[in-house]
Amino acid sequence: MTVNLNHTIVAARDKQASAKFLADILGLRVSPDFGPFAPVEIPNGVTLDYMEASDTISPQHYAFLVSEDDFDAIFARIGAAGLTFWADPMHRHPGEINTNDGGRGTYFEDPNGHNLEILTRPYGSGG
């Protein structure tokens, strides 16, 4: 059996601004609206569909596995945007990156408080 994640809905106060934030940081683009969604397609085919929420937004975690070169480019955009970043998901180590499993990783928040992560090695992959 083959199972692949196709899309997930991401709650946002402003779907366009939130989709643009993610696309700009990751070096992607926002696709045309699809119904009530502002989609950002990740290169592996998964789409994050931003949808406006009128209720309180419960922060979620979204992790993106990237190459070393992409990490450098994304990390530079995080810095250029003046975003706070952390080495850990609990935000105890500000201004640091981690070297888990012999790779690099960092966490930062989007405008809705979602905890975003970029990492160069999957957890448990060694190092």
Side-chain angles (χ1 to χ4, degrees), residues 4-46:
N4 293 298
L5 180 64
N6 177 263
H7 68 276
T8 190
I9 297 171
V10 182
R13 287 179 203 85
D14 179 332
K15 69 180 181 181
Q16 292 299 332
S18 296
K20 183 175 179 350
F21 172 86
L22 180 70
D24 288 350
I25 291 291
L26 295 183
L28 303 172
R29 67 178 189 83
V30 178
S31 299
D33 280 1
F34 182 75
F37 307 112
V40 176
E41 185 174 348
I42 308 303
N44 67 353
V46 175

Side-chain angles (χ1 to χ4, degrees), residues 64-77:
F64 303 94
L65 182 63
V66 300
S67 70
E68 290 287 342
D69 289 340
D70 288 335
F71 184 96
D72 291 336
I74 294 166
F75 191 66
R77 289 190 288 270

